């Protein structure tokens, strides 16, 4: 038995030799799994059009990534699933009525401009799906507006109502309806209940860091409460704002894109709080009904600033004793 | 609930197993390979020389590195720049007097040597005194298993209490520290008279000396505290008890499914150990000396267990996602979250990747305690720790060279 040991080829590796098992691919698969319930509910609600948008967006994202990687002479990495995740996330933000060309443009821009232009997965400063979404949202406002599209639905856009008919209109939307996605908006982003559960799953799995969604939702909650208390007639309550539109989706799935957010606890908390607060500020003062995607883009851009907040590295902190000069020497070395 | 949100949920990172297995004596080696890098061979020791257990083979010029002794009866078959090979022989088969006499035991405890005299006596018996702790007010004996997977610390506290007691006595006589503390895992009831015990949460990386000091004193990098690992303590204690040169080491041998603690001869070939344990390897397996987080992988089966090694592990192909040398950092931040010294392994590894070693200075690369967690959590499977080690090595080399020339800036033409 041991004789054979002499003939085998050993693999040389570098420490550590154990690994947590978490890989990019695994994280993507978990994310897709977390998005699955929302996607399923969306299919039930919108049927074939939603399926079409989701499939087209994912395929276009994957193909764009592959083409860019070939042009950039990079290793093909479609098997790690990140393009599929971005494609699906993007589709979640589009209305189910999105025409094929709109979906295509959004997906190609998301992968091309949002990600590959920066060098590939993990190099982008702003969430790639949001870049694609923002480009078409600003360029083609009419087909992007679910209120304007001809959809055979009795659903209404809660944020649209709240914005233009006052906070009292929010009463038309029971919380249960919002949670079950009976609202008009992005085809998947409005499945807030399912997304909340999916997000929870990701946080428990450690794929996303819980501090960000917690702080994000807390930010929305606090600012929405403040407005609501100031004038309940004009401004809807905090739960309405959390579970309408894409706040939950943004908190769990958009704001948490690893390369666009800070990683230490205090910066993550501030980043989340700012994002959550911005959602409300845009919803109240901005021209757009749903502020969440823009809020995430803004905090993405602010992330490097938040990341500057960090504690002293090990043993270099200020010390009470006379040793401080010594420490400075260490810190600088 | 807490554990669910954590980045590292590996139960193996708990450093106590509550599974006491007795130490097993390793196989009698057929051949040993001893590392002689930095050593000067003793005159008269050359190829074909017959040696006995404890025969001095080489001396180290540094006063705090232990000398090299043969662990077995045998004949020297090869001496090269890095290693000395000894093939085992049965002394009964040779003519009487052919082998050098066994060394006389030196009873260090009875002799009453102290301070530097004791240090040099210990060095002559093959113990590295450098790793026994520098001069400090407080010396902490780190009785935690040094790494996940390594499991000899708990049984050692019980089974080898005599060695530890003897070592602690010698440590006192070194007069390097005013106070000696023993850091034991929380819940461990082992105590030694005259030594204050401190309980430490037995979770990796708390067993890394720098972090252990923080756990014990509550202060990060306090200037007057040093730590010494139980492995070194055992070595010194063994020498103190036997009075003979150090020719053995304690290791945990572990595979994915099993583990055991052994006392093996220094220089035992890993191939012989695998054979002894009936472990058969497959193509693509990795074998490593040291621990699973900080050890080094071996390329051949005729590599050996060196003096300071505390473990030998087999990681089967497919057990962990394969490491990819050239995979780019995806900024996931896992390493930043995991790093116990709050430096930025992400940027450090990138600087090293692109050869910008100088940038590493800004990032406090020197604070890295080499715990390996950054590589353990990297979702892109980058060799993060290796990059950082590379940077540290490069910069230290640079500084050493810079130290050879006057420090005043030299005018450039
Ligand atoms: S090995 Fe990695 S995680 Fe550990 S201290 Fe060094 S940089 Fe930080
Ligand atoms: S864990 Fe790896 S991929 Fe993630 S930031 Fe660190 S080095 Fe980059």
């Amino acid at each position: 038995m041991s004789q054979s040991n002499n003939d085998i080829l050993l693999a040389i590796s570098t420490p550590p030799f154990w690994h947590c098992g978490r890989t990019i691919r695994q994280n993507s698969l978990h994310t897709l799994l977390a998005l699955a319930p929302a996607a399923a509910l969306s299919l039930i609600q919108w049927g074939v059009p939603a399926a079409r948008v989701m499939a087209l967006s994912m395929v276009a994202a994957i193909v764009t990534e592959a083409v860019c990687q070939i042009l950039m002479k990079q290793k093909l990495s479609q098997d790690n699933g990140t393009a599929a995740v971005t494609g699906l996330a993007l589709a979640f933000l589009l209305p189910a009525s999105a025409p094929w060309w709109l979906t295509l443009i959004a997906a190609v821009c998301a992968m091309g401009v949002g990600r590959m232009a920066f060098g590939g997965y993990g190099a982008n400063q702003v969430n790639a799906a949001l870049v694609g979404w923002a480009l078409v949202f600003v360029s083609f406002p009419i087909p992007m507006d679910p209120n304007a599209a001809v959809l055979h639905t009795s659903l209404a856009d809660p944020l649209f109502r709240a914005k233009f008919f006052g906070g009292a209109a929010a009463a038309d939307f029971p919380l249960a309806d919002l949670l079950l996605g009976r609202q008009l908006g992005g085809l998947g982003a409005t499945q807030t209940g399912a997304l909340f559960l999916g997000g929870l799953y990701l946080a428990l799995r450690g794929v996303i860091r819980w501090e960000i969604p917690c702080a994000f939702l807390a930010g929305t909650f606090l600012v929405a409460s403040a407005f609501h208390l100031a004038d309940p007639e004009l401004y809807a309550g905090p739960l309405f704002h959390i579970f309408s539109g894409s706040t939950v989706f943004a908190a769990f799935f958009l704001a948490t894109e690893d390369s666009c957010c800070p990683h230490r606890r205090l910066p993550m908390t501030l980043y989340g709080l700012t994002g959550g607060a911005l959602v409300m500020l845009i919803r109240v003062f901005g021209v757009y009904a749903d502020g969440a995607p823009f809020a995430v883009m803004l905090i993405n851009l602010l992330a490097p600033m938040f990341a500057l907040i960090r504690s002293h590295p090990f043993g270099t902190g200020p010390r009470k004793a006379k040793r401080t000069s010594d420490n400075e020497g260490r810190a600088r070395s | 609930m807490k554990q669910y949100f954590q980045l590292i949920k590996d139960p193996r990172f708990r450093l106590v197993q509550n599974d006491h297995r007795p130490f097993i004596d390793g196989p009698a080696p057929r051949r040993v390979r001893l590392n002689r890098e930095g050593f000067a061979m003793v005159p008269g020791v050359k190829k074909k020389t017959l040696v006995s257990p404890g025969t001095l083979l080489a001396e180290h010029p540094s006063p705090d590195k232990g000398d090299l002794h043969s662990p077995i009866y045998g004949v020297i078959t090869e001496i090269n720049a890095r290693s000395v090979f000894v093939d085992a022989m049965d002394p009964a088969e040779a003519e009487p007097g052919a082998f050098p006499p066994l060394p006389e035991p030196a009873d260090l405890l009875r002799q009453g040597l102290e301070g530097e005299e004791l240090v040099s006596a210990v060095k002559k018996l093959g113990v590295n005194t450098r790793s026994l702790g520098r001069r400090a007010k407080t010396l902490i004996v780190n009785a935690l298993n040094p790494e996940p997977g390594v499991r000899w610390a708990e049984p050692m506290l019980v089974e080898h209490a005599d060695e530890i007691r003897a070592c602690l006595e010698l440590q006192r006589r070194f007069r390097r520290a005013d106070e000696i503390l023993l850091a034991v895992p929380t819940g461990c009831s082992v105590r030694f008279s005259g030594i204050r015990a401190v309980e430490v949460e037995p979770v990796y990386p708390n067993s890394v000396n720098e972090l252990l000091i923080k756990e014990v004193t509550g202060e990060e990098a306090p200037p007057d505290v040093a730590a010494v690992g139980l492995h070194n303590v055992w070595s010194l204690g063994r020498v103190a008890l036997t009075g003979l040169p150090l020719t053995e080491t304690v290791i945990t041998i572990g595979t994915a499914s099993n583990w055991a603690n052994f006392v093996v001869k220094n220089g035992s070939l890993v191939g012989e150990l695998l054979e002894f344990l009936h472990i058969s390897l497959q193509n693509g397996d990795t074998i490593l000396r040291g621990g699973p987080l900080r050890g080094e992988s071996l390329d051949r089966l005729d590599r050996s267990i060196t003096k300071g090694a505390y473990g030998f592990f087999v990681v089967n192909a497919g057990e962990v996602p394969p490491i990819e040398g050239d995979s780019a950092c995806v900024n996931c931040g896992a390493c930043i979250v995991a790093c116990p010294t709050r430096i930025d392994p992400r940027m450090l590894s990138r600087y090293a990747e692109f050869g910008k070693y100088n940038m590493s200075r800004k990032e406090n690369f020197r604070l890295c305690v080499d715990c390996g967690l950054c590589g353990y959590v990297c979702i892109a499977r980058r060799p993060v720790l290796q990059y950082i080690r590379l940077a540290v090595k490069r910069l230290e080399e640079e500084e050493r060279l810079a130290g050879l020339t006057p420090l005043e800036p030299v005018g450039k033409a």
Side-chain angles (χ1 to χ4, degrees):
Chain A
M1 194 153 95
S2 51
Q3 281 320 85
S4 67
N5 273 355
N6 291 325
D7 311 324
I8 59 110
L9 265 173
L10 292 169
I12 299 295
S13 182
T14 60
F17 301 94
W18 284 357
H19 188 258
C20 60
R22 205 175 286 144
T23 57
I24 302 176
R25 191 184 145 88
Q26 256 218 348
N27 280 0
S28 304
L29 293 180
H30 283 308
T31 312
L32 288 175
L33 200 63
L35 290 171
L41 284 179
S42 156
L43 286 181
I44 294 174
Q45 194 165 84
W46 303 111
V48 182
R52 204 185 37 117
V53 174
M54 285 193 267
L56 180 60
S57 171
M58 281 167 85
V59 170
I62 293 171
V63 171
T64 311
E65 188 191 46
V67 170
C68 290
Q69 281 176 335
I70 291 169
L71 291 179
M72 292 161 74
K73 301 203 169 57
Q74 288 184 356
K75 221 168 36 190
L76 290 182
S77 67
Q78 282 63 45
D79 61 336
N80 70 21
T82 53
V85 169
T86 303
L88 190 58
L90 171 66
F92 269 32
L93 290 168
L94 300 177
S97 59
W100 64 268
W101 51 269
L102 187 80
T103 313
L104 197 65
I105 294 176
V108 170
C109 287
M111 291 312 285
V113 183
R115 177 183 299 176
M116 298 313 290
F118 292 90
Y121 175 69
N124 46 320
Q125 275 297 310
V126 176
N127 187 307
L130 283 177
V131 171
W133 170 84
L135 275 169
V136 292
F137 187 80
V138 174
S139 319
F140 310 102
I142 302 298
M144 279 300 284
D145 185 355
N147 296 296
V150 199
L151 277 172
H152 301 286
T153 176
S154 54
L155 297 180
D157 182 341
L159 288 167
F160 189 78
R161 290 289 208 77
K163 188 160 182 69
F164 298 107
F165 300 97
D172 298 351
F173 295 90
L175 197 58
D177 274 9
L178 291 177
L179 284 172
L180 288 173
R182 295 201 202 104
Q183 48 177 320
L184 208 51
L187 68 88
T190 45
Q191 299 294 345
T192 45
L195 286 171
F196 193 85
L197 293 181
L200 213 57
Y201 168 79
L202 284 190
L204 286 171
R205 276 267 168 202
V207 175
I208 60 172
R209 304 201 174 90
W210 59 270
E211 289 91 340
I212 292 177
C214 267
F216 196 98
L217 296 179
T220 308
F221 188 90
L222 289 178
V223 179
S225 303
F227 279 115
H228 186 61
L229 288 179
D231 188 349
E233 272 304 302
L234 201 56
Y235 304 110
L239 286 182
F240 171 84
H241 276 291
I242 286 180
F243 290 109
S244 61
S246 46
T247 318
V248 171
F249 186 56
F252 282 100
F253 294 91
L254 299 177
T256 52
E257 174 149 333
D258 278 326
S259 65
C260 317
C261 65
H263 307 289
R264 291 190 166 91
R265 184 158 293 169
L266 180 63
M268 280 198 290
T269 311
L270 293 175
Y271 165 90
L273 283 173
T274 314
L278 277 174
V279 171
M280 281 315 298
L281 295 181
I282 298 176
R283 281 184 183 179
V284 171
F285 299 114
V287 288
Y288 302 113
D290 187 359
F294 284 113
V296 173
M297 292 181 81
L298 277 172
I299 51 171
N300 278 171
L301 291 171
L302 291 176
M305 239 104 86
F306 288 118
L308 291 179
I309 308 169
R310 52 186 285 191
S311 45
H312 290 273
F314 192 81
T316 60
R319 228 180 290 237
K320 280 160 248 142
K322 55 194 178 306
R323 285 266 153 198
T324 29
S325 56
D326 188 341
N327 293 326
E328 274 163 27
R330 239 192 117 124
R332 238 182 280 123
S333 61
Chain B
M1 201 63 177
K2 191 176 153 217
Q3 61 173 10
Y4 284 111
F5 290 101
Q6 276 173 354
L7 193 60
I8 295 167
K9 332 175 204 194
D10 197 330
R12 296 176 298 185
F13 276 53
R14 261 204 96 68
L15 297 172
V16 289
Q17 300 296 325
N18 295 320
D19 180 3
H20 285 256
R21 300 189 188 174
F23 288 87
I24 304 168
D25 278 325
R30 295 194 298 270
R31 184 163 214 231
V32 295
R33 173 191 191 131
L34 303 160
N35 178 16
R36 61 150 293 202
E37 275 170 288
F39 288 83
M41 296 303 295
V42 171
V45 172
K46 44 187 186 292
K47 218 167 152 177
K48 302 226 178 87
T49 307
L50 294 184
V51 292
S52 308
T55 303
L56 181 67
L57 301 180
E59 287 173 327
H60 202 284
S62 156
D64 49 12
K65 293 278 275 180
D67 294 337
L68 185 64
H69 303 82
S70 167
I72 53 169
Y73 281 109
V75 57
I76 295 181
T77 49
E78 192 187 334
I79 300 176
N80 60 31
R82 302 186 59 186
S83 311
V84 180
F85 291 88
V86 181
D87 274 12
M89 282 173 68
D90 188 351
E93 281 169 19
E95 0 178 326
F99 283 96
L102 294 175
E104 275 298 310
D107 195 336
L108 293 175
L109 289 169
R110 198 75 59 70
Q111 276 171 359
L113 296 177
E114 290 210 354
E116 288 312 305
E117 269 182 329
L118 181 60
V119 171
S120 91
V122 164
K123 167 207 160 62
K124 291 211 173 73
L125 289 172
V127 180
N128 287 342
T129 50
R130 183 182 299 170
S131 32
L132 288 171
R134 59 187 167 82
R135 239 235 65 83
K137 227 183 256 159
T138 310
L139 178 72
I140 302 173
V141 173
N142 178 355
L144 264 51
N145 278 309
E147 275 184 53
V150 177
R151 297 188 177 164
W152 41 251
E154 286 171 274
M156 186 183 277
L157 283 176
V158 181
E159 275 187 54
H160 291 194
D162 289 340
E163 272 92 345
I164 295 169
R165 233 173 261 126
C167 169
L168 291 175
E169 179 51 36
L170 289 190
Q171 283 281 10
R172 246 184 238 126
R173 296 191 197 166
F174 279 148
R175 288 185 309 211
R176 282 184 174 176
D178 303 339
E179 190 195 12
I180 300 180
L181 297 179
L182 179 73
V184 294
T186 314
C188 166
S189 55
V190 176
R191 296 291 183 272
F192 294 94
S193 62
I195 303 281
R196 189 157 70 88
V198 187
E199 296 197 349
V200 174
E201 177 74 3
V203 178
Y204 194 74
N206 280 355
S207 59
V208 175
N209 280 345
E210 288 85 346
L211 303 174
L212 180 93
I213 291 176
K214 153 98 199 288
E215 289 297 309
V216 171
T217 64
E219 245 184 288
E220 292 182 346
D224 276 334
V225 185
V228 52
L230 198 58
H231 200 261
N232 306 99
V233 167
W234 181 88
S235 303
L236 180 57
R238 187 72 158 194
V239 164
L241 282 191
T242 62
L244 295 171
L246 180 68
T247 56
E248 285 152 328
T249 183
V250 173
I251 58 171
T252 297
I253 300 185
T255 62
S257 56
N258 208 350
W259 61 273
N261 293 321
F262 292 86
V263 180
V264 301
K265 297 283 180 207
N266 284 335
S268 296
L269 299 184
V270 296
E272 288 184 17
L273 292 178
L274 290 171
E275 193 181 322
F276 176 71
L277 292 168
H278 304 291
I279 298 172
S280 52
L281 301 176
Q282 309 286 324
N283 277 335
D285 288 355
T286 303
I287 56 175
L288 57 112
R289 176 169 63 199
L293 281 124
R294 319 165 79 180
E296 53 179 326
S297 88
L298 303 176
D299 54 346
R300 289 172 25 194
L301 292 172
D302 66 349
R303 303 282 176 212
S304 63
I305 302 298
T306 43
K307 213 180 253 177
Y310 47 65
F312 173 68
F313 292 84
V314 177
V315 178
N316 297 118
E319 208 179 300
V320 294
I323 204 154
E324 288 171 38
D326 61 343
S327 71
C329 172
V330 297
N331 275 317
C332 72
C335 53
I336 301 177
V337 177
C339 177
T341 61
R342 303 189 298 278
I343 55 177
D344 190 333
R346 167 186 61 166
M347 291 320 283
L348 282 173
S349 70
R350 292 172 154 210
Y351 294 146
E353 185 177 7
F354 299 109
K356 299 199 172 126
Y357 298 104
N358 266 325
M359 300 286 284
S360 314
R361 281 184 219 275
K362 278 201 288 187
E363 267 299 336
N364 291 299
F365 70 99
R366 224 180 286 266
L367 297 182
C368 172
V369 294
D370 210 43
C371 67
L373 291 182
C374 43
Y376 175 84
V377 298
C378 179
I379 64 167
R381 283 300 268 140
R382 282 158 61 77
V384 191
L385 174 61
Q386 202 68 7
Y387 279 132
I388 294 172
R389 283 182 176 175
L390 181 68
V392 170
K393 210 170 157 208
R394 276 298 194 89
L395 288 170
E396 271 175 2
E397 182 69 14
E398 223 169 75
E399 268 154 41
R400 196 180 62 79
L401 291 178
L404 295 177
T405 50
L407 281 173
E408 272 77 18
V410 206
K412 279 195 194 111

